[in-house]
Amino acid sequence: MSIKFPLVPVHSDIGILYKPFIPVFLKTPLGALRINFLLDSGADYSVAPRQIAESMGLDLGALPHKNVSGLEGGKVKGALGKLSGEIAGHPFKVRCLFTDRNDVPSLLGRLDFFDRFDICFDAKKRTVILDPTAHEK
């Protein structure tokens, strides 16, 4: 069964951009935490700010650290760990770079996530469609 999400209009200096934000429910020691992640087909890794790792009870010091290149060629430092979440009742786990900073967006990148869902960006209908059924069999 497909899951549809509307693209979210975001005002920018070049006009309105429609972005694929996906509501993800993360498991934390205090219960579920809803975070909107940007579905980013250009990102190799999923990325989350430090505060999300802390909310999940992860010890960043115990995880392997990695530097990755960003869009502007700058390095982003963080700890590589597992992000466990649920989208519309469909659980998933992905490797995620939890950054050392809190001023970075939460991204769902290709590694692990794009293997879990068939994904269709429908610009005309301004929706993104996730289909987990092909991968659940």
Side-chain angles (χ1 to χ4, degrees), residues 20-22 24 26 35-39 47-48 52 83 106-108:
F21 285 101
I22 306 294
V24 174
L26 302 175
I35 302 288
N36 290 325
F37 278 75
L38 179 64
L39 185 60
V47 175
I52 289 178
L83 178 81
S106 299
L107 305 176
L108 288 172

Side-chain angles (χ1 to χ4, degrees), residues 52-66:
I52 289 178
E54 291 168 351
S55 295
M56 293 173 59
L58 297 177
D59 178 5
L60 294 181
L63 297 173
H65 280 70
K66 184 166 183 60

Side-chain angles (χ1 to χ4, degrees), residues 46 81-84 92-96 108-109 111-114:
S46 293
K82 290 282 186 183
L83 178 81
S84 295
F92 69 93
K93 278 187 184 176
V94 295
R95 286 170 278 184
C96 180
L108 288 172
L111 183 66
D112 300 328
F113 189 81
F114 277 54

Side-chain angles (χ1 to χ4, degrees), residues 4 9 18 26 31 47 61-62 65 78 94 99 104 115 125:
K4 293 183 182 181
Y18 292 89
L26 302 175
V47 175
H65 280 70
V94 295
T99 65
V104 296
D115 295 338
K125 294 181 181 176

Side-chain angles (χ1 to χ4, degrees), residues 1 3 85-94 108-119 130-137:
M1 170 180 258
I3 312 160
E86 189 176 288
I87 297 173
H90 297 276
F92 69 93
K93 278 187 184 176
V94 295
L108 288 172
R110 292 188 315 276
L111 183 66
D112 300 328
F113 189 81
F114 277 54
D115 295 338
R116 176 71 176 78
F117 295 92
D118 286 337
I119 300 168
L130 305 181
D131 186 356
T133 55
H135 301 278
E136 290 179 343
K137 297 176 184 174

